[in-house]
């Protein structure tokens, strides 16, 4: 029978996050992702060397906007990033995504020193590799990233978000601290490539960048992000080295802010159980982004994380 | 394989009669290859040549209709591997399965009827009911399928590999044109005859893609035209790979035997989501809770949205609640999802608002801003068009947080004070309650 194989020329960069004692860090393990030379999970056509990873969010302050169904999952640890990180490790996170939300000038406006302390705490509480992201304020993020990167020096973290306005500071910080970098652009394939070029031009390894092309929740712009990721992946497989970076999507963040995961049964009886709706929505979003080509999913609900982990294991079977 | 102009030319009369409207037969052949004209324009084509050329000009994946009446549904007919290449046409038809051992069919039907949701002004939901012959009883299967057919307008899929059970059921309901499932290597002759006798579409189940294409050829040779394909895979990894192979062979190699829609079976939201993105044309599941189906139908809507046509709102000044001359004035773009994300949040705040929806060619805020379709000039012109100045006493505009960079320019142009709102719609209630005074 005729074969349906594509002859792809390119390959996604393989990236490692985390450093063990031998490498100057304190992590119990490293995680590897990327490295694929075909479309997601097409084992018949190419090599899928690493399963996509799940990073679970840990906040440095209680996430006030989260709906109760999600908060309840973390109710004992919401004000304790150390215990929170430990909990994520226990239920199966591949890495921790520490969100320095309290540094936001509009809320607590925590200082770089506060952030550094949180990072040290989390590093001591959990031995998983670490992703560190700032708050929604680019200026503030730029002002603390040097300290953040220094504090975690040697741990080979993934830090973000480098955007057009602050990429120089972020790149310098990542370079100095020996970390990898998330480059974020607003749903535009050209801007995405351009930012990767700008960062590489500063002497930063293009194999140490992870793309965040913007994440849209299902029903809220998902299709644009899905297509941008597919197009990025196709460009990479056609050998465009500035599009060949692994991709991260913030699945949980985009799930738990939407009405479908917040409105209770009295408001929306036709939408079914509020208890299950959110984590099912998170799973659907995660699954669809895996098929687009996402290499790291940043997630929230423990049950969604567990189910998607099993789903990924299933997808990795040849 | 798709024929080239020269391949087609070989079969034409080569008289250059011009009756087709082309100067020469070769020009006509080229136009045919480019699908710019049709073969019936040639008055002198031989029947033999017509047959060869007709089959070569068939679409690479057939469109199959299941059901009859208002709820009938078309599946397949896809032409591309990636939605950005053109668009996907026929959204994955979702079937909820029922066992013929089910004791309360009426309850089940009522439950399925509720799996229908309003999304951006469109009703989306379950399209089909799949009846499983768990009882292994021919008469029971027939009577339950009759009951389903009487009590719902949703088209049916009859699942049984027992030809007698399918035949018996079809005696009552063949006019409803259900999909029958399935023909396999053992029963395909009988199943083909049944499908032909009742003129209903037939699903083939192979043990792999190879056996499937072999069966498809045999069944097509027996005169069955409306076919649906199941490679037999049930593990998610195998399914994704088989769906991809089938779609590629059909679309890229024009491989006739696999040029039909596919069917997949999923028992979890994550598997179902994977199949909606990667190439199931029909999805069968026993999941029947609203919270399970809502994300699936929403994902399907996203994947099957035509990427070339953004869904747009009419650009104008919208009143949310009953705003007065002191109410906040906010601006956004006319991408419908932007509107449907922003407006519920404004409602949540319980504060009446003037919401100006500018014409940004249906793009979301960030995309429109990046494409220069949502800038200070455009907002200024829409403020003038809608005469907002006559409706409010204050001179304050709230703009989306993501486009704070345009503040200066907008103040300059309008003379109004620009307030930077939250980046995400979710922040609107808090913003309106705390910042707007």
């Amino acid at each position: 029978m005729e074969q349906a194989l594509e002859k792809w020329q390119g390959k996604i960069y393989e990236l490692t996050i985390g450093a063990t004692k031998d490498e100057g860090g304190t992590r119990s393990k490293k995680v590897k992702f990327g490295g694929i030379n075909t479309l997601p999970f097409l084992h018949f056509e190419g090599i899928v060397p690493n399963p996509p990873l799940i990073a679970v969010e840990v906040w440095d302050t209680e996430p006030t906007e989260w709906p109760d169904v999600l908060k309840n999952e973390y109710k004992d640890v919401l004000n304790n990033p150390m215990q929170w990180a430990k909990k994520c490790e226990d239920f199966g996170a591949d890495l921790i995504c520490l969100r320095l939300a309290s540094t936001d000038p509009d809320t607590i406006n925590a200082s770089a020193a506060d952030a550094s302390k949180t990072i040290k705490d989390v590093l001591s509480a959990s031995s998983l590799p670490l992703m560190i992201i700032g708050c929604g304020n680019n200026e503030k993020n730029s002002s603390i990233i040097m300290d953040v990167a220094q504090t975690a020096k040697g741990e080979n973290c993934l830090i973000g978000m480098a955007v057009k306005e602050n990429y120089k500071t972020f790149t310098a910080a990542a370079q100095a601290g020996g970390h990898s970098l998330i480059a974020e652009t607003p749903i535009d394939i050209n801007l995405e490539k351009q930012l990767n070029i700008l960062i590489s031009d500063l002497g930063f390894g293009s194999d140490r960048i992870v793309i965040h092309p913007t994440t849209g929740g299902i029903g809220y712009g998902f299709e644009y992000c899905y297509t941008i990721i597919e197009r990025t992946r196709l460009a990479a497989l056609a050998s465009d080295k500035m599009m060949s970076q692994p991709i991260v999507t913030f699945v949980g963040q985009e799930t738990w802010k939407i009405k479908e995961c917040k409105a209770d049964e009295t408001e929306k009886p036709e939408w079914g159980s509020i208890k299950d709706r959110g984590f099912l929505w998170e799973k659907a979003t995660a699954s669809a982004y895996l098929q687009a080509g996402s290499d790291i999913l940043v997630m929230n609900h423990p049950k969604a994380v567990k189910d998607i982990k099993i789903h990924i294991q299933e997808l990795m079977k040849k | 394989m798709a024929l080239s102009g020269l391949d087609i030319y070989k079969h034409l009369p080569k008289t250059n009669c011009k009756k087709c409207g082309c100067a020469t037969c070769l020009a006509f052949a080229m136009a045919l290859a480019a699908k710019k004209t049709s073969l019936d324009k040639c008055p002198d084509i031989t029947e033999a040549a017509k047959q060869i050329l007709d089959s070569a000009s068939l679409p690479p994946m057939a469109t199959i209709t299941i059901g009859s009446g208002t709820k009938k549904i078309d599946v397949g007919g896809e032409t591309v591997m990636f939605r950005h290449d053109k668009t996907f046409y026929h959204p994955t038809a979702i079937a909820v399965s029922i066992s013929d051992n089910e004791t309360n069919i009426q309850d089940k039907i009522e439950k399925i009827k509720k799996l229908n949701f309003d999304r951006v002004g469109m009703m989306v939901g379950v399209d089909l009911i799949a009846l499983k012959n768990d009882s292994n009883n021919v008469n029971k299967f027939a009577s339950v399928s009759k009951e389903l057919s009487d009590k719902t307008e949703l088209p049916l899929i009859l699942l049984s590999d027992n030809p007698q059970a399918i035949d018996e059921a079809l005696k009552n309901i063949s006019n409803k044109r259900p999909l029958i499932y399935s023909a396999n290597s053992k029963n395909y002759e009988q199943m083909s005859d049944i499908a032909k006798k009742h003129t209903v579409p037939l699903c083939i189940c192979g043990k792999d893609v190879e056996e499937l294409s072999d069966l498809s050829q045999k069944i097509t040779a027996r005169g069955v035209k409306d076919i649906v394909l199941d490679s037999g895979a049930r593990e998610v990894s195998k399914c994704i790979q088989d769906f991809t192979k089938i779609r590629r062979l059909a679309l890229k190699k024009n491989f006739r035997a696999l040029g039909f829609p596919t069917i997949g079976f999923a028992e979890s939201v994550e598997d179902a989501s994977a199949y909606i993105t990667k190439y199931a044309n029909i999805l069968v599941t026993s999941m029947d809770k609203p919270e399970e189906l809502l994300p699936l139908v929403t994902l399907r809507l996203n994947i099957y949205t035509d990427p070339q046509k953004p869904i747009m709102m009419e650009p104008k000044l919208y009143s949310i609640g009953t705003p007065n001359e002191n109410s906040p004035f906010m601006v956004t773009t006319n991408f419908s999802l932007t509107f449907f994300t922003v407006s519920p949040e404004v409602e949540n705040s319980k504060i009446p608002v003037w919401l100006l929806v500018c014409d940004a060619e249906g793009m979301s805020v960030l995309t429109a801003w990046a494409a220069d379709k949502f800038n200070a000039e455009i907002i200024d012109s829409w403020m003038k068009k809608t005469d907002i100045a006559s409706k409010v006493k204050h001179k304050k505009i709230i703009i989306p947080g993501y486009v704070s960079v345009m503040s200066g320019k907008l103040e300059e142009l309008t003379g109004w004070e620009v307030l930077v709102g939250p980046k995400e719609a979710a922040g609107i209630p808090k913003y309106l309650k705390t910042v707007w005074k």
Side-chain angles (χ1 to χ4, degrees), chain A residues 2 4 6 43-45 136 219-220 222-224 227 257 260 270 272-273 283-284 287 291 311 314 317, chain B residues 83-84 117 119 237 241 248 252-253 270-271 273-274 277-278 290-291 299 302 335 337 341 423-424:
Chain A
E2 203 164 0
E6 299 281 352
H43 305 280
F44 70 91
E45 181 167 87
Y220 296 86
F222 167 82
E223 67 271 38
Y224 294 94
T227 282
K257 68 182 189 194
E260 282 78 353
E270 69 270 29
S273 147
K283 286 205 293 178
S287 165
Q291 292 302 326
H311 181 66
E314 291 296 319
K317 289 182 182 164
Chain B
R83 56 190 294 280
H84 62 260
F117 312 93
R119 182 89 218 162
S237 167
Q241 296 186 73
R248 279 189 187 169
K252 307 188 75 148
K253 306 280 181 187
E270 52 274 34
D271 286 358
S273 301
T277 61
K278 291 292 167 78
E291 62 270 26
L299 171 63
N302 282 173
F335 179 42
L337 278 173
T341 314
K423 285 189 177 169
E424 301 293 345

Side-chain angles (χ1 to χ4, degrees), chain B residues 113-163:
Chain B
K113 276 186 186 160
K114 286 189 181 136
L115 301 174
N116 212 357
F117 312 93
D118 182 359
R119 182 89 218 162
V120 198
M122 261 183 281
M123 289 310 284
V124 288
V126 166
D127 309 287
L128 302 149
I129 297 178
L131 181 66
K132 294 187 291 181
N133 186 15
D134 290 339
S135 70
N136 277 322
N137 180 315
V138 170
N139 294 325
K140 189 159 191 199
F141 189 62
S143 74
V144 179
S145 60
K146 176 79 169 65
E147 186 181 356
L148 282 177
S149 161
D150 290 344
K151 289 180 175 167
T152 164
E153 281 181 35
L154 289 179
L156 302 180
I157 305 176
L158 301 178
L159 296 143
S160 175
D161 50 16
N162 176 359

Side-chain angles (χ1 to χ4, degrees), chain B residues 1-306:
Chain B
M1 287 295 286
L3 297 181
S4 70
L6 283 175
D7 294 331
I8 296 170
Y9 178 66
K10 287 177 200 152
H11 300 283
L12 296 181
K14 305 185 189 72
T15 52
N16 297 335
C17 72
K18 300 190 176 62
K19 287 179 203 159
C20 61
C22 295
T24 63
C25 285
L26 183 60
F28 181 59
M30 293 299 176
L32 276 174
K35 302 204 192 303
K36 282 181 182 150
T37 183
S38 59
L39 194 58
D40 55 18
K41 298 255 168 68
C42 177
D44 304 319
I45 188 95
T46 66
E47 198 49 43
K50 190 167 180 294
Q51 265 189 9
I52 296 168
L53 295 177
D54 267 349
S55 76
S57 65
L58 284 174
M61 184 198 294
T63 304
I64 306 294
T65 305
I66 306 171
S68 61
T70 52
K71 302 261 175 164
K72 72 177 179 195
I73 185 156
D74 286 342
V75 292
E78 301 301 339
T79 59
V80 292
M81 297 299 295
F82 303 101
R83 56 190 294 280
H84 62 260
D85 284 339
K86 193 165 196 275
T87 184
F88 295 164
Y89 291 100
H90 297 120
T92 309
I94 299 179
V96 170
S97 62
I98 300 184
S99 164
D100 65 354
N101 280 327
E102 178 69 47
T103 46
N104 200 333
I105 295 291
Q106 187 63 42
D107 273 8
K108 200 82 184 171
I109 292 174
E110 290 309 318
K111 212 172 169 187
I112 292 172
K113 276 186 186 160
K114 286 189 181 136
L115 301 174
N116 212 357
F117 312 93
D118 182 359
R119 182 89 218 162
V120 198
M122 261 183 281
M123 289 310 284
V124 288
V126 166
D127 309 287
L128 302 149
I129 297 178
L131 181 66
K132 294 187 291 181
N133 186 15
D134 290 339
S135 70
N136 277 322
N137 180 315
V138 170
N139 294 325
K140 189 159 191 199
F141 189 62
S143 74
V144 179
S145 60
K146 176 79 169 65
E147 186 181 356
L148 282 177
S149 161
D150 290 344
K151 289 180 175 167
T152 164
E153 281 181 35
L154 289 179
L156 302 180
I157 305 176
L158 301 178
L159 296 143
S160 175
D161 50 16
N162 176 359
Q164 278 84 45
I166 297 281
D167 194 32
E168 195 58 36
L170 283 173
K171 280 179 187 159
N172 299 315
I173 63 162
S174 65
N175 62 329
K176 296 283 183 74
R177 210 179 142 77
L179 170 66
I180 59 174
Y181 178 102
S182 66
N184 54 38
S185 58
K186 295 191 189 78
N187 70 12
Y188 76 92
E189 292 171 332
Q190 283 167 287
M191 283 292 197
S192 303
D193 293 346
I194 291 168
K196 261 169 53 187
K197 182 168 93 185
H198 297 284
T199 53
V200 294
L202 172 64
C203 188
I204 310 172
C205 180
K207 67 178 189 332
D208 52 32
V209 175
E210 196 148 356
E211 190 194 79
L212 178 66
S213 74
D214 181 48
L215 282 172
S216 169
Q217 277 157 347
K218 286 179 177 153
I219 288 170
T220 313
R222 297 180 74 86
V224 178
K225 288 203 174 77
D226 290 344
I227 290 172
V228 172
L229 304 172
D230 175 8
S231 77
R234 291 297 176 269
E235 310 81 10
V236 63
S237 167
K238 193 87 189 348
C239 286
I240 292 295
Q241 296 186 73
D242 283 356
F243 284 142
T244 304
K245 284 180 192 169
I246 292 170
R247 179 103 157 212
R248 279 189 187 169
L249 286 166
L251 267 43
K252 307 188 75 148
K253 306 280 181 187
N254 227 343
F255 185 55
R256 284 274 148 246
L258 297 177
F260 299 101
T262 57
I263 191 168
F265 296 81
E267 290 309 323
S268 69
V269 163
E270 52 274 34
D271 286 358
S273 301
Y275 301 156
I276 287 170
T277 61
K278 291 292 167 78
Y279 311 140
N281 302 104
I282 303 171
L283 180 72
V284 182
T285 179
S286 64
M287 291 186 284
D288 62 0
K289 298 194 188 87
E291 62 270 26
E292 292 169 320
L293 271 300
L294 184 62
L296 296 181
V297 298
T298 313
L299 171 63
R300 175 180 67 175
L301 195 65
N302 282 173
I303 292 290
Y304 282 84
T305 296
D306 184 347

Side-chain angles (χ1 to χ4, degrees), chain A residues 235-254:
Chain A
L237 293 175
S239 283
D240 187 334
K241 288 290 167 207
M242 284 301 157
M243 309 274 264
S244 299
Q245 290 72 15
I247 291 168
V248 61
T249 47
F250 288 80
V251 167
Q253 164 192 303
E254 297 304 316

